[in-house]
Each structure stands twice: as C-alpha cells, then as structure tokens.
Amino acid sequence: MARSKGVTIRDVAQRAGVSVAAVSMALNGTGTLSAATRLRVRAVAEEMDYQADALARGLRRSSVGAIGLVMRSLDSLGEYAPRGVDVFSRYIGAVSAQAMDRGLSVMLVPDLTKRPTPPLALSLDGYIVTMPHVDDPVVELLERREIPYVTLGRDPDRPEFTDWATEDEQLSFRRIYEHFAANGARSIALVRGTDPNAWNIDSEATYRAWCESAGITPRVYRSAERAGERGGESVAHTIVDDGVPDAILCHTGRQAAGVLVGLTARGVAVPDRTMLAAASDSEHTRHSRPAISAVELHAVETTLALLDLLQARIAGEPSAGPVLTTSRFRIRASSRRTHPSA
Amino acid sequence: MARSKGVTIRDVAQRAGVSVAAVSMALNGTGTLSAATRLRVRAVAEEMDYQADALARGLRRSSVGAIGLVMRSLDSLGEYAPRGVDVFSRYIGAVSAQAMDRGLSVMLVPDLTKRPTPPLALSLDGYIVTMPHVDDPVVELLERREIPYVTLGRDPDRPEFTDWATEDEQLSFRRIYEHFAANGARSIALVRGTDPNAWNIDSEATYRAWCESAGITPRVYRSAERAGERGGESVAHTIVDDGVPDAILCHTGRQAAGVLVGLTARGVAVPDRTMLAAASDSEHTRHSRPAISAVELHAVETTLALLDLLQARIAGEPSAGPVLTTSRFRIRASSRRTHPSA
DNA sequence: TTGAAAGCGCTAACAC
DNA sequence: GTGTTAGCGCTTTCAA
C-alpha cells in the first residue's frame, strides 16, 4: 500500500540538475542530448540505483516488458499441476528461462476469457498460446484486442496465420509408423486425444494418409486427455476386443502407459504380441515396464523460435514463421523386437 | 505499440452520463453513491465490456493483482527446466493454480538482484521466495524495498521472521531414521546438499540430534544440488570407502538415485546390505530399481498456507505463521526388508 | 541542446 | 450524492 516507491525520475533529475525529460532521454537513448549530460545523468542514475517504474512506463509506452503464457492444454485438463506430467511444467520453465535471457518476464495466465480477467493480462506485451483449439476464445480475444501472440502448434482455424512453431509431429508420426512397419507391423491403431487442437487433428490426418499409402485400414481410438492413464487402460480393452493390432501409437505418455496396463491385464505381450509407442515423452513412458518408445520433445528449441516470432510480431516486423523443429524418436523396449520381421 | 487500448473509464462515464469518479466508485464499491447510479454504471460497464487498465490502476493504488515467485533453488541450480525434476515445476503449477483461484496472477521471476531487473518485478504486490539462503540478496532487496514476501522454508538468518511455511521436514527426517532403526540399522549416513538454506541446515541439525539420542556416530556427506545424480554417485564411492553404513538418507531424489547407482557399481546390495531413502520425492526415486523410499511433498497444502500468509501480509494483517504441513513418507523397496531386524 | 508541459487511465481528496 | 481536479511516474511533443 503505502510502499516506499523508491527513487523516481524526479529525484534523479533534481540530483543531476536537469529536467525529468533529460533523464528520460538519457536513459532511453532517445532525443538529442549532449554526450556530456547523457553520461552525467546515467552516472547519477546508477549511483542512486534508479529503476524506472514499469507501471508508469507501461502506461505511456503501452509495453511492460512481460509476456503471458497461456496453456490451453492445462486449461482443458482442469488441473494446473498434474502428477507425473512434466511436459507442461518443463515448458513453463523453458519459456521463463529463455524469456529472462531476453529481459522479458513471463506471467502464467489462466484462460483469459474467464471472468474475472486476471489483472495485467490485457496489459502484457504479447502472448504465447500453447495448442489453441478450434474456435479458441482466447485466440479470439487476443485477436480482438490486437494483442500480439504466437502459438505452439498451428491455429486449426487459421491456415493463414503463420506465427507459430511446433516440433514436427507429423514427421515424427511417420517415422514411428515406418519403425513399426520395419518391425513387421501390418495393422496399426492410433489412440488420439479429444481436445480439438491441431495436434489431434493433424496427426489423425497424417495417420490416415499413411494408412492409405501403406494399404492399411485405419483404426482410430479416442481418449480424452484428462482421462489420463485410466482412459488409456479402458481404450486398451476396446482395442483388444476389436482384435489386437500389430502396433499401437498413443498421443500422450499417460495414454500409452494406461494402454500398456490394459494390454497386460488382457494377457497381450508388449512388444511380442503388439508394439507400443507414444508421440510425446513423459515420466510414464520412460518408466513403464517395458519402457515405452516415445518422441522426446525439445521444448527449448521450439520456445526459442516462439520467442523470436513473438518479439518480431511485437516489433511489428513481418512474420518469419511457421517454424518446425525436429524431435527425436527414442526407441525403447515396447517396440524393440529381436526378430525384425515377425 | 499503438494498440487499441480498449474501453476506458471515460468512455463508460460518458455513456452512463456520469463522471469518471462515479464510475470508479461504482465499480470499486467505494465512496458514497446512490444504489441507483451504482447499478446503472455497472450495467453500462458490463455492456461495454469495460476492464480497468491494470497499469493505470496499479500506478495509483500501487498494487497490481499479481505476485512474484522466485525459486532460489532454481537460481542456484543455474537451470530453469531441469529434466526429471518435477518438484519445482509442479510447485510453479501449484502456485499458479492456487493464486489464480484467488484472482492473483503469478510471475516467475529470476534472481531479482541480477541486472537488469526484470520489468514489473518491483511493482508486484508481493513475493513467494522458496528456500531463501543465508544472506540472501533477494530477501534483503525485498526487505529494503518494503515489498511483502513470504518464504517456503524459514529464513535461516531471521528467526523472528514468521511468514513462512514448509512441510515438516524435521518430522519426516525423524520418521525415516526410526524406520531405518526399526529395520535394524545401527549406523546411518546423511547426504545433504550445499545450498545454505534452512532445509540443509536444519536437517543436518536434526540428524545430529537424532544420532546423539540414539548413540550413533554421525556421518554427514555433502553433494551440491546442481551435481545431481553424478554427485550422488561419487558420494556413494566415498561412503563405501569409509565403510558401508546400514542405511543412507539423501536429501534429494536425484542424489539418492545417484547413490544407488554408485552403490550398485560397488556391489553393495540395496536394501539387503544397506537401506536407502530420500527426503524428497521425484521421478528418480519412484523409478529407480529398486524404487527408493521417499517423502512425498504436498505442494498444494503448503502453497495454500503461503498464499494465506502473503495475502495477510499484503493487507497489513498480523502474521499467522509459521505453518507446518505434514508430508507422507512412502516406503519403497529400497528400505523394505523381509526380516525386520537383520 | 534543454526544459516546460501535456497526458497515458485511474483513484481519492475535496468541492459543490 | 456527484463532479472537479490533482496527481501516480513516466515519455514525448513543442518551445525556447
């Protein structure tokens, strides 16, 4: 409340014997000041440990040096600290760390459209929106308020929007199918999530295209992201009932871990009877028995790209996106066969 | 930049046919307005989708509805997204989620004392500082700027400071020692970290006290937090060289996992030859072979307490701290013996 | 090259 | 009850 607001620009001006305008110019490198005053003012500011008030500055410049991060997957998960799922939180860490390197702070913001709107949310310089939905209200809001944003994963509604980056999931998916095929798989099932984001939509399309080219009949199963391992487990039963395929690819590590449990319960051996893989790595894939092959996401690279895009966007520069980064498919026991062609 | 700043208080005032002051009062429930105008103004504001500018408001009220989270352990780890360590990130998630429920946004702020200071850092309403150090410059800065803060883990320098919460680690530690003792341990070694925070200081004290009361000679080893599993591994060799104790307690899950690797390399069987446990759970403890007994931290409870304390502190109310929450010691294979007294 | 002054959007005294 | 007004700390014309 009645907090000591620290050294203000007036204090510096007074001490340096110049006007506040001069101080502002000196510190921001703007205007036409003599090198002498500029230096003197800077010295005084330094000495007084002056720090410009971000709020006041923001009020004038309408830019505060902070960006927002809104994780749509978490919003729809309904839980912000899911156990064993370190993907999101590592992502938060990665974004914060990278942003800090650029002098940007990161604010984690929940669904912006839910009232009351988090204070400051509308005052941030820009946003990183992860995995936007179809008809995403958050995107719609940012668009309407003309707040710059970039997305992790393309916006499924706007093919013309190019400020996004992602790990090249479609490439990874194809690699996995090929890996399965090389190990003798003739039938492959896909377990996807239900969030209507590009990740789910595009990978199903990739899957169907691949099936078509390989002459395989597609088998697509759905399990809500928030159902986690349980969802995977129950899907496993359905899959077994439908007839065990040669291989199963799950979108998330949690789903895959659940599927593994379900398969095991039904006496289906992995990888001998059917192979298993996940399109995103997590604690679950790394530590299931057998360990589950999975795509290791490299949050850092993608984050760097996103920050570049966002900063360009904020600066009003033309978009250089989209950016696709490559991730690594790590083969583990769940899809490793001693006899390549069974 | 030239962003459409949205609906301002003047727009609302004009439309409602009142002064800006009236609008401010109506929306904030302050002053003496007739119920009629208050309602009318609110209706108009609602209709126009008016949202007060957080910066302008903050400039006047010096409070922005956002708090900072500064994680000293991460600062000293030198890495903001360590792999497999979900404690921190789950903590970030927990804080964000809880804070959001209270209408607070959370900004992850790196070491505040490093220049350049993150914008907004000094304008936040308060701070949660996790695991402050001895002579912690961040604490010192907050103190000097009179910014309210609470800490996760006590401030080792200020016994009189009571605005902190923590899981009752000392209780957990004693439980572990008793568990070891009940399984026949006569000698127990402690592997602690090197960060000079309360967690390290107090647990060593607890250990020594317990040893004294049990008539056991203390054996304390140190491994820097940032050395992770490698550090634990190398400590294991030292421990073996010094003579294998009946049980080993490590502070972190990473250390414990490393120690396990080291012990195994030296042919020391766990839990048969020596038992092992960790004072904080992580992916490493859950999935080592054998799985390592560990204290499961309940971030949510502690976070709730911290937010209560912080909000009281911000409101200028007296401190209700410190708050100790209890965590659960989960016994896993690394300390489970078939013959209780070996 | 510098200073004075307007004003960003809001809150809170103080008039009326 | 309600309106007028003076700032919060800063940036940025515009004069001097």
Side-chain angles (χ1 to χ4, degrees):
Chain A
M1 216 85 224
R3 206 149 92 207
S4 68
K5 293 286 283 184
V7 185
T8 78
I9 197 172
R10 296 170 59 142
D11 301 331
V12 179
Q14 194 159 8
R15 187 93 107 83
V18 294
S19 72
V20 290
V23 177
S24 174
M25 290 166 157
L27 265 31
N28 292 310
T30 56
T32 53
L33 276 188
S34 72
T37 20
R38 204 174 288 269
L39 249 49
R40 185 160 45 84
V41 169
R42 284 193 181 158
V44 173
E46 182 100 16
E47 181 197 319
M48 297 179 76
D49 192 29
Y50 167 73
Q51 316 253 101
D53 181 294
L55 297 179
R57 171 173 280 176
L59 192 55
R60 290 276 355 189
R61 301 216 279 220
S62 57
S63 119
V64 289
I67 61 173
L69 173 63
V70 41
M71 312 249 286
R72 302 303 282 142
S73 315
L74 285 184
D75 288 332
S76 73
L77 212 54
E79 191 189 1
Y80 284 81
R83 247 203 113 81
V85 183
D86 58 356
V87 185
F88 304 122
S89 23
R90 287 191 37 218
Y91 198 76
I92 298 172
V95 172
S96 303
Q98 311 289 345
M100 289 184 301
D101 283 347
R102 297 162 185 240
L104 287 173
S105 303
V106 174
M107 185 160 268
L108 190 56
V109 180
D111 189 333
L112 280 184
T113 58
K114 292 235 180 80
R115 295 316 176 76
T117 308
L120 280 179
L122 268 14
S123 307
L124 298 175
D125 297 350
Y127 272 88
I128 293 180
V129 181
T130 68
M131 292 295 158
H133 293 178
V134 168
D135 287 331
D136 200 314
V138 169
V139 169
E140 201 256 322
L141 173 66
L142 294 174
E143 198 68 54
R144 195 170 23 137
R145 306 286 296 222
E146 295 177 47
I147 299 175
Y149 68 93
V150 297
T151 63
L152 173 67
R154 70 178 187 88
D155 180 339
D157 290 327
R158 289 168 228 252
E160 75 282 4
F161 176 83
T162 54
D163 286 314
W164 55 274
T166 188
E167 323 230 355
D168 192 344
E169 295 121 7
Q170 308 323 314
L171 177 63
S172 309
F173 274 69
R174 278 194 296 272
R175 277 208 199 125
I176 299 172
Y177 298 135
E178 275 149 27
H179 163 69
F180 281 155
N183 277 277
R186 286 291 306 141
S187 57
I188 300 178
L190 174 72
V191 178
R192 52 159 281 185
T194 57
D195 283 351
N197 56 32
W199 167 251
N200 279 318
I201 297 168
D202 294 349
S203 58
E204 178 168 343
T206 303
Y207 169 72
R208 292 188 181 276
W210 193 85
C211 284
E212 173 127 14
S213 75
I216 289 178
T217 312
R219 287 175 60 181
V220 178
Y221 295 84
R222 290 171 179 240
S223 177
E225 280 80 359
R226 60 188 311 159
E229 296 187 63
R230 295 272 198 95
E233 203 174 332
S234 95
V235 160
H237 289 285
T238 314
I239 294 177
V240 173
D241 291 341
D242 291 352
V244 180
D246 298 333
I248 304 172
L249 173 58
C250 300
H251 269 199
T252 75
R254 293 170 100 186
Q255 288 169 340
V259 164
L260 180 56
V261 170
L263 291 175
T264 308
R266 295 289 291 265
V268 177
V270 173
D272 298 329
R273 178 67 187 81
T274 190
M275 292 178 282
L276 184 62
S280 70
D281 205 17
S282 81
E283 175 170 347
H284 303 88
T285 55
R286 294 192 282 280
H287 300 289
S288 285
R289 295 282 127 174
I292 300 171
S293 303
V295 177
E296 291 183 323
L297 305 180
H298 298 307
V300 173
E301 253 185 281
T302 321
T303 301
L304 278 174
L306 281 177
L307 285 174
D308 284 341
L309 289 174
L310 183 54
Q311 289 192 303
R313 182 72 194 273
I314 290 173
E317 292 160 17
S319 166
V323 175
L324 289 186
T325 60
T326 30
S327 28
R328 166 148 193 263
F329 178 50
R330 181 177 285 272
I331 297 172
R332 301 203 178 94
S334 73
S335 70
R336 199 181 283 133
R337 282 181 165 173
T338 23
H339 309 298
S341 290
Chain B
M1 217 85 223
R3 205 150 90 209
S4 68
K5 292 287 281 183
V7 185
T8 79
I9 198 172
R10 295 170 59 143
D11 302 330
V12 179
Q14 194 159 10
R15 186 93 108 84
V18 294
S19 72
V20 290
V23 177
S24 174
M25 289 166 158
L27 265 32
N28 293 310
T30 56
T32 54
L33 274 190
S34 73
T37 22
R38 203 174 290 266
L39 248 50
R40 186 159 45 85
V41 169
R42 284 193 181 160
V44 172
E46 182 99 16
E47 182 197 318
M48 299 180 74
D49 192 29
Y50 167 74
Q51 314 255 103
D53 182 295
L55 298 178
R57 171 175 279 175
L59 193 55
R60 290 276 357 188
R61 302 216 278 219
S62 55
S63 121
V64 289
I67 60 172
L69 172 64
V70 41
M71 313 248 287
R72 302 305 281 140
S73 315
L74 285 184
D75 288 333
S76 73
L77 211 54
E79 191 189 359
Y80 284 81
R83 247 201 113 79
V85 184
D86 58 357
V87 185
F88 302 123
S89 27
R90 286 189 42 217
Y91 198 76
I92 298 172
V95 171
S96 304
Q98 312 291 344
M100 289 186 294
D101 282 347
R102 298 163 185 237
L104 288 172
S105 303
V106 175
M107 184 161 266
L108 189 57
V109 180
D111 189 333
L112 279 185
T113 58
K114 293 234 180 81
R115 294 317 177 78
T117 308
L120 280 179
L122 268 15
S123 306
L124 298 175
D125 296 349
Y127 271 89
I128 294 181
V129 180
T130 69
M131 293 294 160
H133 293 176
V134 168
D135 287 332
D136 199 315
V138 169
V139 170
E140 201 256 322
L141 173 66
L142 295 174
E143 198 69 55
R144 196 168 23 136
R145 306 284 296 221
E146 295 177 48
I147 298 175
Y149 67 94
V150 298
T151 62
L152 173 67
R154 71 181 186 87
D155 181 339
D157 290 327
R158 290 168 229 251
E160 75 283 3
F161 177 81
T162 54
D163 286 314
W164 54 274
T166 189
E167 323 231 354
D168 192 344
E169 295 121 8
Q170 309 322 313
L171 176 63
S172 309
F173 274 69
R174 278 193 298 272
R175 277 209 199 125
I176 299 172
Y177 298 136
E178 276 149 27
H179 164 70
F180 280 156
N183 277 278
R186 289 291 307 140
S187 57
I188 300 178
L190 174 72
V191 178
R192 51 160 281 186
T194 55
D195 284 350
N197 56 31
W199 165 251
N200 278 320
I201 297 168
D202 295 349
S203 58
E204 177 167 345
T206 303
Y207 169 71
R208 293 189 181 277
W210 192 85
C211 284
E212 173 127 15
S213 75
I216 288 178
T217 311
R219 287 175 60 181
V220 178
Y221 295 85
R222 291 171 178 238
S223 176
E225 280 80 359
R226 60 187 312 157
E229 296 187 65
R230 295 273 197 93
E233 203 174 331
S234 96
V235 160
H237 289 285
T238 314
I239 293 178
V240 173
D241 292 340
D242 291 352
V244 180
D246 297 332
I248 303 171
L249 173 58
C250 300
H251 268 200
T252 73
R254 293 171 99 183
Q255 288 169 339
V259 164
L260 180 55
V261 170
L263 291 175
T264 307
R266 295 288 291 265
V268 177
V270 173
D272 298 330
R273 178 67 188 82
T274 189
M275 292 177 283
L276 183 63
S280 70
D281 206 17
S282 81
E283 175 169 346
H284 304 88
T285 56
R286 294 193 283 280
H287 300 288
S288 284
R289 295 281 128 173
I292 300 171
S293 304
V295 178
E296 290 183 325
L297 306 179
H298 297 308
V300 174
E301 255 185 280
T302 321
T303 301
L304 277 174
L306 281 177
L307 285 173
D308 284 340
L309 289 174
L310 183 54
Q311 289 192 302
R313 183 72 194 273
I314 291 172
E317 291 161 18
S319 166
V323 175
L324 289 185
T325 60
T326 30
S327 28
R328 166 147 193 264
F329 178 50
R330 181 178 285 271
I331 298 172
R332 300 201 178 95
S334 73
S335 69
R336 198 182 283 134
R337 283 182 164 172
T338 23
H339 310 297
S341 289

